[in-house]
Amino acid sequence: DTGVSQNPRHKITKRGQNVTFRCDPISEHNRLYWYRQTLGQGPEFLTYFQNEAQLEKSRLLSDRFSAERPKGSFSTLEIQRTEQGDSAMYLCASSSKARDRAYEQYFGPGTRLTVT
Amino acid sequence: GNSVTQMEGPVTLSEEAFLTINCTYTATGYPSLFWYVQYPGEGLQLLLKATKADDKGSNKGFEATYRKETTSFHLEKGSVQVSDSAVYFCALSSYNFNKFYFGSGTKLNVKP
């Protein structure tokens, strides 16, 4: 078990460019979540996958954001036409059902996006 | 809707002091409650959880009790150590664990 990995760890891009981040969850975890975290704030939920199905999406998520999880394994988060307000840490978490039926999330190290 | 409010930091304590970090929530249905910790330079880690009213979660000397009547899940530790210095996040999940809501975090500094 190597944990949740995210790539790249840092991304600097110019406003208007598209960026794509990748998340590799813990292999046996069927649930995958994306969050955005800005300085001094807690993670903000963006979207959730169960296997390959995207079952929840935050109303705050603009149409410029899209996420996929083909074959229920790794996931990608794409931001089109980036804006300076998109600068944040993007976190991925995966989970599976614990003995008490609660789902415990395991977080990756995050991808820090800076839009100049 | 669902939301979490936790006390603002930073909280500065001397080693061996008693710690309380307040967390209150607003939720529909039957949420589960969590505390996550982020040590300097590391990712978020689950510290403890409680899945129903009156449950007590505990781990590494930390405890929190799910209080439905006061909609609270306060984090406590009887004697903090320098190594407990970190940012602590309170969180709740929807009943089906499809969405999680986090508080803004409380930074704890423990001085020797």
Side-chain angles (χ1 to χ4, degrees), chain A residues 25-84:
Chain A
I26 294 171
S27 57
E28 63 269 25
H29 286 182
N30 62 343
R31 293 185 170 217
L32 187 147
Y33 306 80
W34 283 99
Y35 294 87
R36 176 172 59 194
Q37 186 177 22
T38 54
L39 198 62
Q41 298 298 315
E44 175 190 20
F45 172 83
L46 293 179
T47 191
Y48 152 67
F49 290 85
Q50 183 164 324
N51 300 312
E52 66 276 8
Q54 188 175 18
L55 298 185
E56 288 280 356
K57 193 172 172 181
S58 169
R59 279 176 240 162
L60 302 174
L61 205 60
S62 97
D63 291 343
R64 297 184 297 105
F65 287 70
S66 62
E68 294 183 339
R69 193 182 182 197
K71 302 179 183 177
S73 55
F74 71 92
S75 176
T76 57
L77 177 69
E78 181 183 15
I79 309 174
Q80 296 182 326
R81 305 180 304 281
T82 52
E83 302 172 356
Q84 287 189 322

Side-chain angles (χ1 to χ4, degrees), chain A residues 80-95:
Chain A
Q80 296 182 326
R81 305 180 304 281
T82 52
E83 302 172 356
Q84 287 189 322
D86 297 331
S87 295
M89 179 75 86
Y90 289 85
L91 299 172
C92 175
S94 69
S95 72

Side-chain angles (χ1 to χ4, degrees), chain A residues 31 33 35 42 48 100 104-105, chain B residues 49 96-98 100 103-104:
Chain A
R31 293 185 170 217
Y33 306 80
Y35 294 87
Y48 152 67
D100 61 359
E104 299 179 0
Q105 293 185 95
Chain B
K49 66 182 178 185
N96 55 8
F97 304 96
N98 285 5
F100 285 73
S104 56

Side-chain angles (χ1 to χ4, degrees), chain B residues 7-112:
Chain B
M7 64 188 285
E8 289 191 19
V11 173
T12 301
L13 296 172
S14 297
E15 207 164 21
E16 299 183 3
F18 184 85
L19 168 71
T20 300
I21 299 179
N22 290 337
C23 171
T24 57
Y25 67 89
T26 302
T28 54
Y30 304 95
S32 291
L33 301 172
F34 305 81
W35 277 99
Y36 285 82
V37 59
Q38 187 167 31
Y39 297 104
E42 297 186 16
L44 279 157
Q45 303 173 24
L46 177 65
L47 180 60
L48 54 84
K49 66 182 178 185
T51 57
K52 60 183 186 296
D54 300 324
D55 269 3
K56 178 187 281 188
S58 61
N59 186 26
K60 299 182 181 179
F62 290 89
E63 293 183 339
T65 302
Y66 187 160
R67 301 280 189 205
K68 192 173 179 183
E69 63 277 11
T70 54
T71 61
S72 66
F73 192 55
H74 304 322
L75 182 69
E76 296 182 336
K77 187 175 185 183
S79 176
V80 293
Q81 305 300 311
V82 172
S83 57
D84 293 326
S85 297
V87 181
Y88 292 83
F89 293 92
C90 185
L92 72 82
S93 73
S94 56
Y95 75 97
N96 55 8
F97 304 96
N98 285 5
K99 294 181 79 169
F100 285 73
Y101 303 84
F102 283 78
S104 56
T106 302
K107 186 172 184 179
L108 171 65
N109 296 317
V110 181
K111 296 185 173 180

